[in-house]
Amino acid sequence: MSLHTLYPDTNNALGSYNTVISNLIRHDVRMEAALVNTGLQPDNLPIATKFPLFAMTTRLAADLLNLDTADALFIMSKLYQLLGFLGLWTLVLEVTQSQQQANRAILYMFFSLLGSGYAWVFPYPEGLFLATWTWAFIFFFREWYPAAGAVTVLAVLSRPQAAPSILPAFFLSILVVAFRHRSLLRHEFDQFVVRFGLPILLTCGLPLIVYTAWLWRASTLTQMSFAPFQAQLYFGRNVLTFPTRPLWQVIENLGNGLVFRSFGTLFDSYTALLVIIGSAVLCWLTWKQKIPIALTIFSILNVFMALASGQLYGLGRFAMLTWISVVPIYCIRTNNKYLDSLLWALGLFISTLVIAVLSLNVNGLLTP
Amino acid sequence: MKLKTGLTIALLIMVPILAAYTFYMAGYDRGVETPLPFDYGKDLCTGNSAGIDRFYVPSTLTNEQLTSQWKAYLASFDSGCTVTIDPQADRSPWLPPVAQMGKEPEITSYKELYLKLSYPQKPQPFRSRQVKVWIVALKSGEKKLWPDFSYPIIAASQPFGSRVDLVTSEGAIKGSYQVTQPGILLRYKDKLWLGVMVKLMPSAEPFTEYRVKLFVLKDNAYEASGIDDPYQLPQKYQANFMSAHGPEVLPDVAIVRRVWFAVDENTFDPDHLFLAIKASILNQADTQFGYSQVSVDTRPSGESPYYNPALSVVDIVNPFKDVAYLSDSSAEIKNEAGKVIGGKWMFEAVVDTSAMKQGQQIQLSCGAMQLYLADERVLSSSCDFDQIYIQGERRKVIFSFATQDEKRSNWAPARLEYRYLAPDGTLEIWPLWAAGQ
């Protein structure tokens, strides 16, 4: 029997506290810690949603350095954050050829306008995902395909949305280049293999094999098919659905004039609106050839994956780890430091507000 | 070029090793308990109802799924006891609420689940205990877990009168309390009220807040509602009132006051009462609940009006003294033809208001003085007596009753009583006289 049959309308994860902040601190981190300590077990299915690389490297660090699990989680998350921000800085430099833009991008990521900057405070695996996809794209753009493939392998083991967003981005990006060089497709087979076949194999094929292997491994360990996706049902998310419901929710919220029904509604609508605008701007910038198409595809697919869970909540955390977060560096002039500072302050304020409001758990603020 | 090659080689060596390690270790339990705060097991084992009460249950979750998930969560938590689920105790249907649950107005339906708490350190027969957990669906749409805490509470309780330390989860003593007197039980406005005298003493720092709970733990666990409003009580019991959920308590100044609970008559048992208090201290973790047994004054001559009929719950004490039936003044009533058409009875009493408080007065009502005849017919007295008395008076009063009924065999007066209606609406019945006494 599939979990979807068992949980057709699950609203809350079992054992979740009635504040999101409690879940952020206790539930999410405890789930990560449980994965570090026990691995995947058939009697603890909710943690199957977690991809293993963050937890397993944390375990490695804890075992090697004789660290407490909680300490190891914190240390590793900060280490990955450093690598992630270094990766983002390098990638923005690679794309924009501007150190100033790279510096600004770091702050737009850290004080994300999406209100999810709190993720950098807690020992979450966000840093690992940021590190892996940025470095994968850097190597990809530099055409260091074996290195890009190797890092992509790590990326697909870090977060569930990694493979469905990075692999199509690489694949389509290579195809676009292929179409621009049609002569290669027609005449020079060995050139084709070297320029396109091998990169696709290394950057898409190999990670896809590893990703599939992980799905198989996780399903075997938990005795539940497609465990990382089916276990999403424990958290009120769908396995995979076309994102009509959350999008309709956004339209409905906007139609209601963003009346303050609850903090949750307001925040979800704000996030969704920002993501929609950010995505549109991203597409326009790609059309203007200011942003590589691979980054846009990656970002849009990340948002799609978040919405495909059938829920709006969490969209900010998904979208933050994409190029959408750094869109403001293209829209605001580099010399407009006041606006930059204002937006960073706004990002910090919104993140803090999310934490504060949800910590207070004032009745009616979180849900309508 | 060197960098590119070196990096690529390093990655191609490291990534397969890391991936292989990840794949292998993901199925390997390293035998370390997850050290982060996660209070299910702890709350269940220590009886922290405040913690448990917060937990939500998915609306479509069956007992079977719940047991499987709880087992997984609880198994990894070091809470002093282990929790397992009785595999037979599931598949129970959703039921309508029952009065014994104590909070039934909030509940639309509930079902039961059994958990087994095991205390490996304790001797038999205290090593394990099966407790019931109610999954309750509330009218607000939420579903919550309400556990039966009887065993943990009993195990943790101090005997009546002992000092109970209020300790944080880190073991720091932040204060103490003591149940200083047996509880007082009384009935008032169709409810049963229990008052427990508590001495609450913070240590060095003030309590910013405290909570007092009362549990009745017999066949099951029931939590009595503590009150915050003294005006729910009779006036004479409003003095020295302590709220069940109180504000700041300063250190070095012990509070000695009575905290009151509305108890359910169906579940109340004076021999199985347990008080629980926890306190909050500024910028520090709350203390855990400290438990104490509570005894109740059940003596017929004791302080509890419920057990001592001589005690009144209202302020005005019975002012009637030396009530006597004036049989020689009682007589048949005859009509002009000499036929007996009724009877007349007279009683003498002393109205003594010396026990009243200074400034108090009582207004007697002729309709409230009632005479029961042998056939249980009730007669009200005539109104020909002084009705208003101030404090400190002592006067003889004659009460007369008359009826028009020729059935003389039923005329014998059986008992006399005064039905006093207090200003707050409480009806007090003062028995004044009974035949044969």
Side-chain angles (χ1 to χ4, degrees):
Chain A
M1 186 185 286
S2 78
L3 265 174
H4 192 63
T5 317
L6 295 174
Y7 295 81
D9 191 28
T10 302
N11 294 319
N12 282 291
L14 170 73
S16 59
Y17 289 81
N18 57 355
T19 64
V20 171
I21 187 65
S22 301
N23 286 307
L24 289 174
I25 297 169
R26 296 186 179 191
H27 202 63
D28 271 15
V29 179
R30 186 199 171 274
M31 281 178 66
E32 207 69 60
L35 188 57
V36 172
N37 289 336
T38 65
L40 285 182
Q41 306 291 338
D43 58 359
N44 194 359
L45 295 176
I47 64 169
T49 53
K50 299 278 179 191
F51 268 53
L53 189 63
F54 179 61
M56 291 307 121
T57 49
T58 301
R59 174 189 286 206
L60 186 62
D63 286 345
L64 287 178
L65 305 172
N66 197 24
L67 290 172
D68 180 81
T69 309
D71 297 340
L73 275 170
F74 183 81
I75 291 167
M76 292 305 282
S77 74
K78 300 308 144 200
L79 186 68
Y80 286 134
Q81 272 175 34
L82 279 178
L83 280 173
F85 281 109
L86 183 64
L88 181 70
W89 189 88
T90 313
L91 184 57
V92 176
L93 184 66
E94 186 87 15
V95 171
T96 64
Q97 299 298 317
S98 162
Q99 233 180 62
Q100 199 179 357
Q101 292 288 58
N103 293 341
R104 293 170 76 208
I106 295 296
L107 290 163
Y108 275 109
M109 177 64 78
F110 197 80
F111 302 116
S112 174
L113 283 170
L114 293 159
S116 305
Y118 57 80
W120 304 119
V121 180
F122 300 127
Y124 288 167
E126 259 83 348
L128 174 64
F129 183 53
L130 182 67
T132 49
W133 77 254
T134 49
W135 284 107
F137 274 95
I138 291 163
F139 296 142
F140 181 80
F141 291 147
R142 290 180 184 177
E143 299 183 355
W144 300 2
Y145 294 119
V151 179
T152 308
V153 164
L154 298 180
V156 300
L157 290 175
S158 69
R159 290 289 283 240
Q161 73 266 35
S165 56
I166 299 174
L167 305 191
F170 285 173
F171 184 76
L172 290 172
S173 185
I174 291 168
L175 274 190
V176 167
V177 176
F179 276 108
R180 283 180 188 160
H181 298 77
R182 284 179 195 171
S183 59
L184 289 174
L185 289 172
R186 283 198 301 271
H187 304 298
E188 302 164 30
F189 180 73
D190 48 345
Q191 271 287 319
F192 170 78
V193 170
V194 172
R195 293 287 304 277
F196 307 108
L198 206 56
I200 285 175
L201 182 69
L202 288 170
T203 60
C204 303
L206 192 62
L208 187 63
I209 291 168
V210 174
Y211 181 70
T212 311
W214 171 250
L215 292 184
W216 170 80
R217 174 71 170 152
S219 304
T220 309
L221 291 172
T222 55
Q223 297 166 16
M224 178 171 67
S225 57
F226 293 100
F229 294 106
Q230 291 230 55
Q232 294 285 349
L233 293 164
Y234 285 100
F235 304 96
R237 297 174 188 274
N238 291 331
V239 171
L240 206 60
T241 180
F242 198 77
T244 45
R245 183 175 147 191
L247 284 174
W248 177 247
Q249 201 181 323
V250 177
I251 294 164
E252 203 176 45
N253 289 346
L254 291 173
N256 290 336
L258 279 183
V259 175
F260 187 86
R261 283 190 292 151
S262 73
F263 181 80
T265 315
L266 193 66
F267 181 65
D268 283 347
S269 302
Y270 163 79
T271 310
L273 200 61
L274 217 57
V275 168
I276 290 168
I277 294 169
S279 304
V281 174
L282 202 60
C283 290
W284 182 76
L285 289 168
T286 307
W287 181 253
K288 293 281 176 189
Q289 295 192 335
K290 288 188 175 176
I291 295 173
I293 192 168
L295 283 171
T296 306
I297 293 169
F298 163 76
S299 303
I300 301 287
L301 284 174
N302 258 285
V303 170
F304 184 88
M305 287 297 290
L307 294 175
S309 67
Q311 300 290 340
L312 270 180
Y313 68 83
L315 177 62
R317 270 177 80 180
F318 274 72
M320 182 181 74
L321 296 172
T322 68
W323 214 247
I324 291 172
S325 273
V326 297
V327 158
I329 66 168
Y330 296 95
C331 305
I332 300 164
R333 287 175 189 277
T334 48
N335 57 0
N336 196 342
K337 287 186 177 150
Y338 290 112
L339 190 54
D340 272 348
S341 305
L342 185 72
L343 291 178
W344 296 330
L346 183 66
L348 178 65
F349 172 74
I350 296 168
S351 260
T352 313
L353 188 69
V354 172
I355 299 286
V357 169
L358 301 181
S359 302
L360 291 171
N361 186 30
V362 181
N363 281 341
L365 276 179
L366 187 56
T367 51
Chain B
M1 190 64 191
K2 271 184 182 174
L3 172 71
K4 181 180 173 182
T5 311
L7 188 70
T8 305
I9 290 169
L11 281 169
L12 290 178
I13 293 169
M14 280 174 57
V15 169
I17 294 171
L18 210 52
Y21 174 84
T22 298
F23 271 67
Y24 175 72
M25 283 298 179
Y28 177 74
D29 187 342
R30 67 198 277 252
V32 175
E33 286 181 344
T34 305
L36 293 157
F38 203 71
D39 298 336
Y40 295 121
K42 192 175 180 182
D43 286 339
L44 269 173
C45 294
T46 59
N48 181 358
S49 64
I52 284 289
D53 210 33
R54 289 174 306 171
F55 297 146
Y56 284 57
V57 182
S59 56
T60 54
L61 201 67
T62 66
N63 278 355
E64 203 168 7
Q65 295 154 5
L66 182 77
T67 53
S68 132
Q69 294 182 29
W70 265 63
K71 191 175 175 184
Y73 278 116
L74 299 175
S76 64
F77 193 82
D78 179 15
S79 53
C81 79
T82 55
V83 183
T84 50
I85 316 283
D86 177 0
Q88 303 302 320
D90 61 0
R91 300 183 186 87
S92 65
W94 284 97
L95 300 167
V98 290
Q100 285 82 350
M101 299 180 89
K103 295 180 180 175
E104 68 278 7
E106 300 170 32
I107 303 171
T108 56
S109 57
Y110 79 102
K111 59 177 165 181
E112 295 172 355
L113 176 76
Y114 291 86
L115 306 174
K116 188 179 175 190
L117 307 186
S118 303
Y119 296 78
Q121 310 300 328
K122 288 184 181 285
Q124 289 291 11
F126 304 109
R127 199 164 288 167
S128 71
R129 163 88 173 183
Q130 183 174 273
V131 297
K132 186 161 73 181
V133 175
W134 293 319
I135 308 171
V136 293
L138 303 179
K139 283 182 178 162
S140 62
E142 298 166 357
K143 290 192 177 67
K144 290 188 174 185
L145 298 179
W146 286 354
D148 169 355
F149 290 127
S150 52
Y151 182 69
I153 291 175
I154 292 168
S157 282
Q158 298 293 326
F160 166 71
S162 302
R163 201 180 78 165
V164 182
D165 287 330
L166 296 174
V167 184
T168 65
S169 56
E170 287 82 31
I173 297 173
K174 296 294 175 186
S176 64
Y177 80 92
Q178 191 180 0
V179 179
T180 57
Q181 293 173 16
I184 292 175
L185 191 69
L186 57 91
R187 181 188 297 284
Y188 182 64
K189 289 184 179 175
D190 295 329
K191 280 187 182 172
L192 213 52
W193 302 88
L194 179 73
V196 182
M197 189 65 93
V198 173
K199 183 178 182 183
L200 187 60
M201 297 161 286
S203 298
E205 299 131 305
F207 293 159
T208 51
E209 194 182 9
Y210 67 84
R211 279 182 187 279
V212 188
K213 294 185 174 205
L214 183 83
F215 294 96
V216 186
L217 308 174
K218 196 179 175 188
D219 302 324
N220 219 321
Y222 306 103
E223 188 182 326
S225 309
I227 63 168
D228 299 326
D229 176 14
Y231 296 105
Q232 296 181 56
L233 297 167
Q235 195 178 10
K236 68 187 283 189
Y237 290 99
Q238 289 171 11
N240 212 17
F241 175 85
M242 174 169 154
S243 174
H245 176 199
E248 191 173 28
V249 182
L250 296 173
D252 306 323
V253 184
I255 284 183
V256 187
R257 287 185 191 158
R258 189 166 273 130
V259 58
W260 288 88
F261 301 90
V263 293
D264 183 346
E265 195 159 8
N266 295 318
T267 56
F268 182 75
D269 185 331
D271 298 325
H272 297 87
L273 296 174
F274 296 85
L275 195 79
I277 297 184
K278 74 181 292 188
S280 306
I281 298 107
L282 190 65
N283 296 330
Q284 293 183 38
D286 291 355
T287 71
Q288 294 175 327
F289 275 109
Y291 297 100
S292 171
Q293 289 177 345
V294 174
S295 78
V296 178
D297 190 346
T298 56
R299 295 170 299 153
S301 58
E303 296 290 317
S304 293
Y306 185 82
Y307 296 106
N308 182 355
L311 285 178
S312 165
V313 297
V314 292
D315 263 342
I316 302 288
V317 293
N318 181 352
F320 297 103
K321 301 266 167 49
D322 305 329
V323 182
Y325 173 42
L326 302 175
S327 54
D328 54 333
S329 302
S330 302
E332 294 173 340
I333 300 171
K334 294 178 181 174
N335 63 9
E336 291 167 355
K339 187 182 176 190
V340 175
I341 57 168
K344 189 174 79 170
W345 299 269
M346 298 185 80
F347 289 82
E348 184 187 68
V350 173
V351 177
D352 181 355
T353 58
S354 56
M356 290 197 322
K357 288 178 188 168
Q358 190 71 37
Q360 264 188 338
Q361 66 172 31
I362 183 168
Q363 179 169 10
L364 299 180
S365 160
C366 37
M369 182 64 80
Q370 296 188 330
L371 177 67
Y372 288 76
L373 299 182
D375 62 350
E376 285 296 309
R377 275 183 303 144
V378 184
L379 306 177
S380 293
S381 77
S382 63
C383 295
D384 52 352
F385 61 90
D386 292 336
Q387 292 181 7
I388 296 177
Y389 299 84
I390 60 169
Q391 192 270 337
E393 286 193 273
R394 185 179 171 85
R395 272 191 271 165
K396 268 193 181 173
V397 184
I398 302 289
F399 300 102
S400 63
F401 301 85
T403 183
Q404 292 186 340
D405 190 336
E406 62 262 21
K407 288 184 181 174
R408 299 173 62 185
S409 59
N410 293 328
W411 284 0
R415 59 195 165 91
L416 180 72
E417 66 184 29
Y418 188 84
R419 302 171 75 84
Y420 173 71
L421 188 65
D424 63 4
T426 313
L427 182 66
E428 282 273 291
I429 298 173
W430 295 329
L432 303 180
W433 175 89
Q437 287 186 353

